[in-house]
Amino acid sequence: MWRGLWTLVARAARGPRSPRPCTRQGSGVPVPGSGTTIFALSSGHGRCGIAVIRTSGPASGHALRSLTAPRDLPPARSACLRLLSHPRSGEPLDRALVLWFPGPQSFTGEDCAEFHVHGGPAVVSGVLQALGSVPGLRPAEAGEFTRRAFAHGKLSLTEVEGLADLIHAETEAQRRQALRQLDGELGHLCHGWAGTLTQALAHVEAYIDFGEDDNLEEGVLEQANSEVRELQLALGAHLRDARRGQRLRSGAHVVVAGPPNAGKSSLVNLLSRKPVSIVSPEPGTTRDVLETPVDLAGFPALLSDTAGLREGAGPVEQEGVRRARERLEQADLILAVLDASDLASPSSRNFLDTVVAPAGAGSPNGNSQRLLLVLNKSDLLPPGGPDPSPNLRPHLLLSCLTGEGLDGLLEALRKELAEVCGDPSTGPPLLTRARHQHHLQGCLDALGHYTQTKDLALAAEALRLARGHLARITGGGGTEEILDIIFRDFCVGK
């Protein structure tokens, strides 16, 4: 219903089709400051108590006056109760709160108005159609309000990305990280690095121009080299952590594995709080990889239930076992599940030897795969009895049937996922997108050329190239195609 309504409003506002000179070639988004005024429903679609409709552009004040005539504009940034009427027919539409934000002190940097109306479909559609009848107004494209804010210097590109991530955040960790990026932490860090490069470039160019001048301070080149070396170390540290930020944004891959009938599917259902997997006492019930996105202790994760690892089963189950082993190699974190009352069985011993022990030992390059060992079915153990496996690596006792031990497991998951995804509450800002990693790597490569070259002119050019990569992270020198992709993530009205 809302899509159809928006199409009708868009057609009415556009009028006869004609070329629009204010549109960038290949973008479909008007150039900010081209004289157009946009409007859109900014709050969520559907019935609600209050719906927010916003405008941005030079005709915002005229639109506000047209719908609230004969009243004048309200005081800036103050909510006022007004009767909204259709500017042509004079028909009352709603009694609403209106706000006036004269530019440049607004979200977009342009004149903006907001209409806080009752959220029924008839009211919203009436106000949208009324705005569409005001000369100079047209419906906004997806993300156009935020794009205008970027164009007017209200937000850097990293802050725009933080805003998009905040809108799409589903977990506590994602919200914290998005807020840090929206507050400009990553942008400020990049600006600081760019300032270091600017200073080093100034030293190199001063040496090129005045190298034979006695008035030039000694050690100018050495100081530039020292600044570049420190920056290389900082960039290298951030690039080593780049995957953590991307996992925080898209979700860590957590694989639940174990022998048949250990309770893997029960654990997946318990953690996801819904019946994702079929639970049955029959071994080999799960024959494929079942995946579900979940919020694990405040972190986003893709939880995978896998086939029980055993030999000698039929061809279908063996394919499931093959896929399970494939997922184990791709996992960011393994939840290894064993039956606490059946640790001496051949399947349990084989799983300990082939999956748990190698993960603890680590790979030849020194990186060990993260693994939590969970002993399920603790309700089958004698009450008050000794630990059923004193010789095992550190483990957690859990009963999926009673829920006993779940709090301890969630706390262990929180600690592990904080290492895998990074803790957004502490430490330097994380790199949440491949674009950030690409430009930081390009900056580091350019600094590598700087340290290797003996030609000062080439060294200065390498510093310019490195500084250009940092500028592109925050929005300087970005291509139109990159901007289109970033702003496409926003809904209409934001």
Side-chain angles (χ1 to χ4, degrees):
M1 172 186 164
W2 287 109
R3 287 184 180 177
L5 168 63
W6 191 251
T7 301
L8 291 174
V9 173
R11 287 177 181 170
R14 289 194 191 105
R17 291 190 179 182
S18 60
R20 287 186 294 174
C22 63
T23 302
R24 289 180 179 172
Q25 183 67 28
S27 171
V29 177
V31 179
S34 61
T36 61
T37 299
I38 56 175
F39 68 93
L41 175 66
S42 185
S43 54
H45 294 290
R47 288 181 176 83
C48 55
I50 299 294
V52 179
I53 298 171
R54 68 194 329 191
T55 71
S56 180
S60 290
H62 174 60
L64 186 52
R65 286 192 190 94
S66 298
L67 268 68
T68 60
R71 305 292 292 274
D72 201 356
L73 290 176
R77 290 170 291 281
S78 296
C80 293
L81 185 64
R82 293 285 191 270
L83 175 66
L84 303 185
S85 302
H86 197 287
R88 291 183 180 174
S89 66
E91 178 186 0
L93 301 172
D94 190 23
R95 191 171 294 277
L97 286 177
V98 297
L99 293 99
W100 167 237
F101 301 95
Q105 294 180 324
S106 68
F107 172 70
T108 63
E110 302 175 324
D111 288 349
C112 293
E114 287 187 3
F115 302 85
H116 294 224
V117 302
H118 293 98
V123 174
V124 173
S125 65
V127 176
L128 288 175
Q129 289 180 17
L131 287 172
S133 70
V134 177
L137 267 69
R138 64 164 178 82
E141 305 288 346
E144 191 171 356
F145 285 90
T146 304
R147 187 159 193 162
R148 291 189 175 201
F150 168 70
H152 288 102
K154 291 293 184 178
L155 295 172
S156 70
L157 200 54
T158 51
E159 290 168 344
V160 167
E161 291 170 329
L163 178 57
D165 289 344
L166 184 61
I167 292 172
H168 294 103
E170 295 182 349
T171 69
E172 194 71 13
Q174 287 175 321
R175 179 187 63 78
R176 289 177 183 149
Q177 168 59 27
L179 272 176
R180 289 187 66 182
Q181 190 160 325
L182 177 58
D183 286 341
E185 290 193 23
L186 180 58
H188 294 156
L189 182 64
C190 291
H191 283 307
W193 288 337
T196 299
L197 287 178
T198 300
Q199 185 172 350
L201 179 59
H203 289 161
V204 172
E205 291 189 336
Y207 192 87
I208 293 174
D209 294 337
F210 310 108
E212 297 179 358
D213 194 332
D214 293 337
N215 293 326
L216 190 65
E217 294 182 7
E218 294 184 3
V220 168
L221 279 184
E222 288 76 7
Q223 185 176 351
N225 292 338
S226 174
E227 291 168 345
V228 168
R229 282 193 297 270
E230 290 180 6
L231 184 54
Q232 284 178 306
L233 293 175
L235 292 175
H238 270 76
L239 283 169
R240 283 191 294 273
D241 279 349
R243 278 286 295 146
R244 300 169 80 197
Q246 292 179 45
R247 290 191 197 104
L248 180 59
R249 183 168 176 263
S250 59
H253 192 185
V254 179
V255 175
V256 180
N261 269 14
K264 302 181 297 299
S265 296
S266 297
L267 178 57
V268 168
N269 292 345
L270 184 64
L271 292 176
S272 60
R273 297 185 290 277
K274 59 183 179 182
V276 174
S277 304
I278 297 174
V279 177
S280 168
E282 178 183 344
T285 302
T286 303
R287 298 190 174 188
D288 203 348
V289 179
L290 301 177
E291 296 181 329
T292 182
V294 295
D295 179 344
L296 286 182
F299 288 87
L302 182 65
L303 193 61
S304 297
D305 187 13
T306 60
L309 300 180
R310 64 172 177 174
E311 304 295 337
V316 174
E317 189 174 345
Q318 279 305 300
E319 174 61 20
V321 171
R322 186 195 67 79
R323 295 185 183 188
R325 295 190 185 280
E326 187 178 72
R327 285 297 195 280
L328 283 172
E329 295 176 359
Q330 303 167 355
D332 296 315
L333 172 64
I334 298 173
L335 277 180
V337 184
L338 287 172
D339 184 342
S341 64
D342 192 32
L343 294 177
S345 68
S347 59
S348 295
R349 302 310 306 175
N350 182 64
F351 180 75
L352 287 169
D353 294 338
T354 59
V355 176
V356 177
S363 59
N365 60 12
N367 295 324
S368 60
Q369 194 168 25
R370 293 195 169 272
L371 182 145
L372 280 177
L373 180 57
V374 180
L375 303 187
N376 187 29
K377 304 184 182 181
S378 61
D379 53 287
L380 299 181
L381 298 176
D387 190 324
S389 49
N391 298 323
L392 279 183
R393 60 177 286 168
H395 53 273
L396 299 159
L397 284 175
L398 173 71
S399 171
C400 289
L401 180 64
T402 66
E404 185 178 357
L406 179 60
D407 289 343
L409 174 59
L410 290 175
E411 177 61 21
L413 282 169
R414 186 193 64 78
K415 293 179 180 178
E416 290 291 333
L417 290 174
E419 291 294 325
V420 169
C421 300
D423 189 346
S425 302
T426 59
L430 298 170
L431 307 178
T432 56
R433 299 184 182 235
R435 187 182 72 84
H436 304 160
Q437 185 177 2
H438 168 76
H439 288 302
L440 278 193
Q441 186 62 56
C443 179
L444 189 60
D445 293 343
L447 294 183
H449 293 311
Y450 168 86
T451 57
Q452 293 171 8
T453 185
K454 303 298 182 182
D455 188 310
L456 289 180
L458 292 178
E461 184 59 32
L463 290 179
R464 291 190 194 95
L465 181 61
R467 193 173 58 167
H469 278 290
L470 291 179
R472 290 185 183 92
I473 293 178
T474 55
T479 65
E480 189 70 22
E481 291 78 9
I482 297 268
L483 295 177
D484 284 341
I485 292 171
I486 291 173
F487 288 100
R488 192 174 59 201
D489 288 343
F490 287 89
C491 58
V492 174
K494 191 60 182 174

